[in-house]
Amino acid sequence: MYDVVIIGSGPAGLSASIYAKRAGLNAVTIEKSPFSGGQVVNTYEVDNYPGLPGINGFDMGMKFREHADKLGCEFLTANVSCIRKKSEKENLLQAASVNTCGAEEEVFLIETNQGIIESRTVVAAMGAVHAKLGIPGEEELAGMGVSYCATCDGAFFKGRTTAVIGGGDVAIEDAIFLARGCEKVYLIHRRDELRGAEILQKELKSLSNVEIIWDTVAEKIEGEDQVETLMLKNVKSGEQRNLSVDGVFVAVGILPESMLLRDIADCDEKGYVVAGEDGVSSMPGLFVAGDVRTKKLRQIITAAADGANAITSVQEYLLRGKK
Ligand code: NAP
């Protein structure tokens, strides 16, 4: 029986692991692959985390993990399929046979492909995944020129022409990154103003091989075995045009990885678990941290802070239970 099971090993999960260990809690962190690391590992450069200017995202993820390993945090590589509270019947059965878990104690069962784990609390830090455009050709040509990660796949497009779709931090960072190797990069944005940070916009606009196509949406991606053409439409004039490109990088935001939580905790219309800075969700004993929760600013630093806050809430919850 764990005090806390932390699900996810991005900055929020790893920060929660570190805080849980230092608080003397019996904790395990579940990650999908031996080193998940979260979205940060696919970021070329992180320049807004105090004390680590310009650090490579992968190196940063490694540093977080090394810190947790150094403290002796426990990790388990597994896929979680269900998170639920143990039913009264299950509690009574166990109390009668083993006499360890009192029938009155609320326990979470975390079902995984490595077995069922029992815990008094859960910190859900599953983060978010890339949103899709949902246009013809996107799915068919995924991995054949359509990508959601410039730092992972950008090197394949050295000396070639690519398009980035989106206007947020990720789209701008992707375009800047691609411009270092590509002959030409188009940034296609549906409005006439970018959403991403001013400092990134300034850098982007200074690059001679980047062209921003404003007020434009992608309608279709075409190609035989590889991306060849991107069909565009200007949302103001209605004018359509075809752009010859070798790669399309989709950066139109993120979707919370909250499927496992939607039946047990309140979520907003976009699927983010409703919780404040303390990570307290609508289900007692379930805490959320990082990109999966409702919040204004989704950054590495706010995710790391969430992990720390969630463990503080876990400690308060466990103490209340002992009184
Ligand atoms: P984001 O900030 O939500 O931006 C998504 C962009 O995609 C927006 O410009 C949006 O247009 C556009 N978009 C959405 N749906 C679209 C569609 N169907 N067709 C065309 N365009 C579409 O997402 P993000 O850039 O992935 O960033 C996610 C979060 O991580 C943000 O909170 C961001 O600040 C954070 N982040 C921070 C850093 C950093 O601090 N270094 C780096 C990366 C990410 P509109 O502008 O018209 O809505």
Side-chain angles (χ1 to χ4, degrees):
M1 169 75 72
Y2 287 99
D3 293 321
V4 58
V5 166
I6 298 154
I7 307 172
S9 62
L14 288 173
S15 151
S17 310
I18 290 166
Y19 272 75
K21 187 73 186 177
R22 289 176 49 86
L25 297 175
N26 182 19
V28 64
T29 302
I30 302 178
E31 51 184 356
K32 274 192 282 195
S33 54
F35 175 63
S36 308
Q39 296 166 78
V40 62
V41 297
N42 294 324
T43 305
Y44 176 69
E45 189 181 278
V46 178
D47 203 23
N48 57 2
Y49 197 91
L52 299 171
I55 190 168
N56 173 277
F58 184 81
D59 293 344
M60 187 175 203
M62 288 299 287
K63 271 187 187 289
F64 283 169
R65 177 58 191 261
E66 278 162 18
H67 189 165
D69 283 338
K70 198 172 160 197
L71 290 175
C73 298
E74 185 181 334
F75 286 89
L76 171 74
T77 305
N79 270 312
V80 177
S81 54
C82 182
I83 304 163
R84 65 181 177 92
K85 283 249 174 100
K86 208 172 191 177
S87 68
E88 228 166 86
K89 195 174 157 197
E90 286 168 308
N91 258 340
L92 286 167
L93 278 173
Q94 183 166 4
S97 61
V98 193
N99 199 25
T100 49
C101 167
E104 71 286 350
E105 189 180 19
E106 287 216 314
V107 172
F108 281 91
L109 296 181
I110 298 98
E111 296 177 15
T112 80
N113 60 340
Q114 301 295 322
I116 297 175
I117 299 164
E118 296 195 354
S119 181
R120 294 184 173 90
T121 65
V122 171
V123 171
M126 291 95 121
V129 290
H130 304 292
K132 301 224 160 76
L133 280 168
I135 58 170
E138 182 184 19
E139 207 178 317
E140 296 85 339
L141 290 163
M144 293 183 278
V146 174
S147 170
Y148 299 85
C149 177
T151 39
C152 316
D153 302 326
F156 299 123
F157 298 89
K158 205 163 189 276
R160 312 189 64 183
T161 300
T162 54
V164 177
I165 301 170
D169 284 328
V170 172
I172 303 175
E173 283 181 353
D174 283 0
I176 293 170
F177 176 74
L178 289 167
R180 293 184 181 133
C182 292
E183 188 179 290
K184 173 93 184 176
V185 179
Y186 294 100
L187 182 89
I188 294 147
H189 185 38
R190 63 184 177 184
R191 291 189 293 129
D192 59 1
E193 194 187 357
L194 295 169
R195 179 183 290 277
E198 201 61 48
I199 191 167
L200 291 173
Q201 292 194 35
K202 215 170 156 196
E203 187 179 347
L204 180 83
K205 287 171 185 168
S206 75
L207 301 171
S208 58
N209 60 340
V210 174
E211 181 181 334
I212 305 176
I213 302 181
W214 301 104
D215 300 313
T216 297
V217 291
E219 290 197 316
K220 193 174 182 185
I221 306 169
E222 284 187 329
E224 272 294 310
D225 305 314
Q226 191 67 30
V227 168
E228 291 165 18
T229 312
L230 186 57
M231 295 172 75
L232 303 175
K233 184 181 173 184
N234 184 299
V235 292
K236 285 190 175 155
S237 66
E239 187 195 328
Q240 289 176 302
R241 67 186 273 205
N242 287 349
L243 207 61
S244 288
V245 291
D246 303 298
V248 174
F249 288 83
V250 180
V252 294
I254 54 171
L255 296 171
E257 280 262 52
S258 61
M259 283 313 285
L260 297 175
L261 307 170
R262 290 187 194 175
D263 289 339
I264 59 171
D266 291 347
C267 295
D268 72 4
E269 68 290 349
K270 289 183 179 160
Y272 292 100
V273 181
V274 177
E277 206 173 278
D278 55 9
V280 175
S281 78
S282 60
M283 171 175 262
L286 172 71
F287 304 90
V288 280
D291 281 358
V292 79
R293 84 165 171 95
T294 48
K295 63 197 296 193
K296 197 169 171 194
L297 189 62
R298 293 195 166 80
Q299 306 271 295
I300 299 163
I301 196 160
T302 62
D306 275 9
N309 278 317
I311 292 301
T312 304
S313 297
V314 164
Q315 285 177 282
E316 286 167 5
Y317 175 86
L318 291 174
L319 269 178
R320 272 200 308 274
K322 281 188 181 140
K323 277 178 195 161

